[in-house]
Amino acid sequence: MKKLLNTLYVTTPDTYLTLDGENVIVKKDADTLLRVPLHNLEGIITFGYTGASPKLMGACADRAISLSFLTANGRFLASVTGIEHGNVLLRRAQCRLADKEEESIKIVRNLLIGKLYNSRWVLERLIRDHSMRVDTSKLQAVSKFFAESIQRMRIVDNIDSARGIEGEAASQYFSVFNELILQNKNDFSFHTRERRPPKDRVNSMLSLAYTLLASEVTSAISSVGLDPFIGFLHSDRPGRRSLSLDLMEELRSVFADRFVVSLINTRQIAASDFIQKEDGAVFLKDEPRKAFLVAWQNRKQEKIVHPFLKEKIEWGLVPYVQALLLARYIRGDLDEYPPFLWK
């Protein structure tokens, strides 16, 4: 099993990343702010317009350390990748499956069953643990809708229909998302999912969490030899990591959404931690964003029993395991892709 290493998040403005021997150096002007051995890292994510030396970029590419650049507000800009070392036969098989809808739908069905199942159990756990504080009848109705949607998804035979079922379920899920917020509802109320740009505090954190999750999934996909740009559910588009978006679906609610809600409900994030731009966009300030990233890294270290492997692993390894299982299915080592089913 792969070992979970650290991700270095660089949030200090006007810094520059360089390489010194086997260490990444974070510099600001002539001062060295941080020195981290490369062998401790599986990824580097920089916020703002931090630069990086070609030598460091080459070292990261050689060692399969992901290096991603985000805006100060957390929007993905670019990433550095080296020569692909994955099995070309695996990628060719991936392309062949992606070109045949009758084969792609087998993967799409299981991916979306995983998403529906996990979203449903987020709601069911809320009912179980906080029945006196939430609208149980509304939540039960949506949970029932998800159960029915799972049955519909099991027999769907084309990708457009699968997208339709998922879209209806997503609308139902976000219609009761505000019930998950048990503290600070005046400051952290949720009405609808807004992406570009996020117009409230909850959407701001969801967008950042989804960006971080996308980076984790992309690294996992590349590490097992698959191509993150060739998906099955999400259509091809220049620059879009379609397979990353595919594999994210089953993890959004149980990893990203629950993480954001936990920060609100445990009062680790306050209303004063955000800034609103002239266009109405809402983003975390610098210091609270650092706290968000520390909490994200800590969440990745928490252990669970993987439902398919029946082994205890860190949350942060779940994207890697799912990518590995997908690669095994594409190679023909598994009869079907086993979705991540959390409960």
Side-chain angles (χ1 to χ4, degrees), residues 144-158:
K144 180 181 178 182
F145 181 87
F146 270 96
E148 295 169 349
S149 297
I150 290 171
Q151 296 308 313
R152 292 167 59 200
M153 190 68 74
R154 291 186 191 281
I155 60 173
V156 73
D157 60 1
N158 67 86

Side-chain angles (χ1 to χ4, degrees), residues 60-127:
C60 289
D62 288 342
R63 294 163 176 78
I65 298 172
S66 63
L67 175 56
S68 300
F69 298 89
L70 279 60
T71 67
N73 297 322
R75 181 174 60 83
F76 177 81
L77 287 173
S79 63
V80 174
T81 57
I83 298 173
E84 297 291 352
H85 298 291
N87 187 335
V88 65
L89 298 180
L90 174 62
R91 290 177 182 248
R92 286 171 64 91
Q94 179 186 357
C95 291
R96 286 194 293 269
L97 290 183
D99 284 340
K100 298 178 181 178
E101 184 170 14
E102 66 271 21
E103 297 298 331
S104 293
I105 190 62
K106 298 175 184 178
I107 298 172
V108 169
R109 271 199 302 259
N110 283 10
L111 283 170
L112 293 183
I113 285 172
K115 178 176 184 176
L116 296 173
Y117 181 96
N118 292 335
S119 299
R120 182 185 181 217
W121 277 105
V122 167
L123 303 182
E124 285 290 330
R125 181 171 286 198
L126 180 66
I127 295 170

